[in-house]
Amino acid sequence: MRQPFDYIGYWEQTYRSGETSGRGSYGVLAEFKAEIVNGLIQQESITSVIEFGCGDGNQLQYMNYKEYLGVDVAASSVRLCASKFATDSSKSFMLYTPGLWINRGFLTADLTVCLDVLYHITDETDFRNTLYDILHSSKEWVVL
């Protein structure tokens, strides 16, 4: 029987080996996403953000977030981002496990962001749990 693709293991190995989040988090694609998200932040006076899938943190460098929590399924991603932004007290990071994020309104933000992440989730239960968590972590705005 064929084993299902381990997307969490894939991303853990990617970041542990020093590889990046991919083309979507760099260059013109990162700049385009930042232009859209930063425009919304400015227009709506958004101050707090939770991001599902912080990856290697490169996309984060383009964003104008005042208060930020980045979560990721890969522990190596969390360690990488925590190190990269160690001197920035406005940014926090934590490991995310789909189905084990029992958040009954305690962790919420004005905006929840999930950029180029959902289509990487190959397990349907994890996909549904992640989408639920994204939608229930926002006080007002969601950007997918």
Side-chain angles (χ1 to χ4, degrees):
M1 182 175 188
R2 187 176 187 179
Q3 293 291 332
F5 178 71
D6 178 12
Y7 76 97
I8 295 173
Y10 170 83
W11 287 108
E12 177 60 37
Q13 179 58 37
T14 296
Y15 298 124
R16 188 182 312 132
S17 66
E19 295 180 57
T20 70
S21 294
R23 291 183 1 196
S25 297
Y26 289 81
V28 67
L29 295 173
E31 292 169 7
F32 170 73
K33 288 182 266 184
E35 181 180 334
I36 301 300
V37 173
N38 288 334
L40 177 65
I41 288 169
Q42 183 176 14
Q43 178 181 325
E44 300 300 328
S45 302
I46 292 169
T47 59
S48 59
V49 176
I50 297 174
E51 179 176 26
F52 283 75
C54 56
D56 66 8
N58 196 71
Q59 178 75 59
L60 179 55
Q61 297 178 92
Y62 293 87
M63 301 301 190
N64 298 327
Y65 299 148
K66 288 185 172 83
E67 297 173 20
Y68 173 85
L69 171 62
V71 303
D72 204 286
V73 296
S76 291
S77 164
V78 174
R79 283 191 289 274
L80 177 64
C81 289
S83 175
K84 187 180 281 190
F85 297 97
T87 62
D88 187 342
S89 63
S90 71
K91 293 176 178 55
S92 298
F93 303 93
M94 64 185 287
L95 187 63
Y96 171 72
T97 304
L100 294 178
W101 174 275
I102 313 304
N103 180 18
R104 296 190 173 104
F106 184 79
L107 291 174
T108 59
D110 300 330
L111 168 66
T112 302
V113 176
C114 185
L115 304 174
D116 297 339
V117 170
L118 288 174
Y119 55 80
H120 292 293
I121 303 172
T122 56
D123 179 272
E124 182 157 350
T125 300
D126 285 0
F127 178 87
R128 290 175 185 271
N129 285 332
T130 302
L131 191 55
Y132 179 91
D133 293 340
I134 290 166
L135 296 174
H136 288 86
S137 296
S138 177
K139 294 176 188 171
E140 193 164 0
W141 298 95
V142 174
V143 174
L144 301 174

